[in-house]
Amino acid sequence: MAVGTKQKLLSSSEAAAFCGQMYMILKSGISAMEGVSILLEDSQNEAERKILEVMNEEITRDGLLTPALRKAGVFPEYLIHMTELGEDTGTLDEVMNALQTHYQREDTISRSIRSAMTYPLVMTGMMILIIVILMTRVMPVFQQVFRQLGREMTGFSRAVLAMGNTMTNYAVVFIIIFIAIILFLIYIFKTESGRNLLLRAGYRFTYIRNIYEKQAACRFAGGMYLGLKSGINPEKALELSSKLIDNIYFRNKIISCKELMENGMDLSHALQETKIFTGVYARLTAVANRAGAMDEAMNQIAGQYEEDMEEQITGLISRLEPTLVIILSVIVGVILFSVMLPLLGIMSAL
């Protein structure tokens, strides 16, 4: 288990690794208390060792894993709740196995979204950098060549040169603007209010809204599977699953679903009525509800949503890559041709 800095919650991959290790230990017939001791003996990382020492000290008092996880202060609240449920029902090994699957899925989703966000930002940054270098460093060289030939740049090339000179003369201003953009991106991606702002902006576009909806539905279905498989009632599973969702629009659907169930509607109809699941997923929950296999249906739905989202994000990136390359090539080509064609005309007239 690779653990981050103290008081920082474990990432999804770290939580999955811990749950996987605990599942193997518990499945082998070793108690949770002995398991934590084994993990402590095998730990290679100083930060990990400190966390496991705190857990080991706490778990030796009463033999329960839940208080040890809470004492460590680095485990997600959902993981702690489900661990407590597993200890209460005597299914801690199954819960740890399901939690491992859940956090592996969360890690896959997070990596896919980071890839979808990072790639266009990096490509856009490279485009801007290349264009700025052309305007501020390359164009002045061509201007000197023109002057040595007794001519001046005209038209589009002169406008580009003027823009480059403006950037050079007001470099401090542009640096401040660049820093402001970086700070804004940090705010958008690293703060809750920033992510909500990005969410509201993304919901204006159908393609991005679909990705957001699939991400939330995947997390919700995974949480419901874990809760139902652990033996808790659907209402409690809804409550726990809602804590996994940071999408305010989807969370409102879950609240509405819970209210419908409190008024006597069964889970599958409530999910369909609130449009948490639609189409084939809604029919699957209806069939599973009659067959008493809602937990397995939720697991299938979560897996399918994960695959759908992966395909959608991969498709988006595959379309963005050539598009951005084409845009960069066109811009660079227009700038260079605006200079080279007049220059060739001058050279041929000599």
Side-chain angles (χ1 to χ4, degrees):
M1 177 182 62
V3 179
T5 57
K6 190 177 181 180
Q7 300 306 320
K8 181 181 178 182
L9 289 181
L10 299 183
S11 66
S12 296
S13 61
E14 291 167 342
F18 172 78
C19 293
Q21 289 170 334
M22 287 302 299
Y23 167 68
M24 288 190 294
I25 288 170
L26 294 169
K27 195 69 175 175
S28 302
I30 302 172
S31 67
M33 182 169 65
E34 290 179 284
V36 172
S37 177
I38 291 170
L39 291 178
L40 177 59
E41 291 175 3
D42 293 340
S43 64
Q44 304 293 324
N45 181 281
E46 184 60 29
E48 177 184 330
R49 177 175 292 276
K50 289 181 180 179
I51 292 170
L52 289 170
E53 284 175 352
V54 171
M55 291 177 61
N56 190 53
E57 181 180 349
E58 184 67 24
I59 200 172
T60 51
R61 295 178 183 177
D62 52 20
L64 295 176
L65 181 59
T66 304
L69 297 177
R70 191 168 281 117
K71 182 75 172 179
V74 297
F75 291 92
E77 195 64 27
Y78 183 77
L79 189 153
I80 296 173
H81 280 311
M82 297 311 299
T83 300
E84 184 175 19
L85 182 64
E87 289 187 311
D88 290 342
T89 57
T91 58
L92 186 57
D93 57 340
E94 294 181 12
V95 168
M96 283 293 161
N97 187 32
L99 280 170
Q100 179 188 16
T101 302
H102 169 76
Y103 283 109
Q104 284 175 339
R105 183 176 288 131
E106 282 287 291
D107 183 54
T108 300
I109 293 172
S110 298
R111 283 189 285 106
S112 297
I113 293 175
R114 280 197 302 269
S115 175
M117 293 288 190
T118 302
Y119 181 80
L121 287 175
V122 171
M123 285 295 294
T124 303
M126 291 177 62
M127 285 172 56
I128 294 172
L129 179 62
I130 291 171
I131 293 168
V132 168
I133 292 174
L134 274 174
M135 295 170 67
T136 59
R137 292 290 180 265
V138 178
M139 294 301 285
V141 173
F142 280 111
Q143 171 71 343
Q144 291 178 2
V145 174
F146 270 84
R147 286 178 176 172
Q148 289 173 358
L149 296 172
R151 301 293 181 89
E152 290 288 339
M153 285 184 176
T154 59
F156 180 75
S157 58
R158 186 183 184 119
V160 172
L161 177 65
M163 291 174 62
N165 290 335
T166 301
M167 288 181 182
T168 302
N169 296 332
Y170 296 95
V172 175
V173 175
F174 284 100
I175 289 173
I176 292 173
I177 293 174
F178 176 75
I179 293 173
I181 292 172
I182 295 297
L183 292 175
F184 178 72
L185 291 175
I186 292 173
Y187 165 74
I188 285 292
F189 293 111
K190 296 297 184 181
T191 66
E192 184 177 354
S193 59
R195 286 192 292 269
N196 286 334
L197 178 63
L198 184 64
L199 176 70
R200 287 192 290 271
Y203 255 70
R204 297 176 183 272
F205 305 95
T206 302
Y207 194 91
I208 298 176
R209 182 170 66 248
N210 287 339
I211 292 178
Y212 275 129
E213 286 283 326
K214 287 180 179 179
Q215 177 194 13
C218 182
R219 286 177 172 171
F220 171 75
M224 287 295 293
Y225 161 70
L226 187 52
L228 293 172
K229 188 174 180 61
S230 300
I232 62 177
N233 59 54
E235 290 82 359
K236 183 64 176 177
L238 278 171
E239 181 183 341
L240 289 175
S241 298
S242 66
K243 296 178 181 179
L244 298 172
I245 310 300
D246 52 12
N247 183 325
I248 55 177
Y249 300 107
F250 199 91
R251 194 183 298 149
N252 289 335
K253 292 183 181 181
I254 298 175
I255 293 172
S256 299
C257 181
K258 189 176 180 182
E259 290 174 352
L260 290 175
M261 292 185 66
E262 289 172 351
N263 292 329
M265 188 177 289
D266 64 50
L267 176 59
S268 63
H269 285 92
L271 292 171
Q272 188 170 0
E273 185 70 22
T274 54
K275 298 188 184 304
I276 289 178
F277 297 138
T278 57
V280 65
Y281 300 119
R283 289 195 291 274
L284 179 58
T285 58
V287 173
N289 191 48
R290 291 194 295 269
M294 186 63 81
D295 56 342
E296 293 302 324
M298 288 294 175
N299 191 35
Q300 290 179 30
I301 290 171
Q304 189 60 52
Y305 268 123
E306 181 183 353
E307 291 180 13
D308 290 348
M309 196 166 56
E310 283 264 6
E311 290 177 4
Q312 192 168 356
I313 291 175
T314 301
L316 175 63
I317 293 175
S318 66
R319 287 191 293 272
L320 274 175
E321 182 175 0
T323 301
L324 291 174
V325 170
I326 290 171
I327 292 173
L328 176 60
S329 301
V330 169
I331 293 174
V332 172
V334 168
I335 293 174
L336 291 179
F337 273 111
S338 69
V339 176
M340 295 301 297
L341 289 178
L343 186 59
L344 289 173
I346 295 171
M347 296 295 292
S348 62
L350 294 178

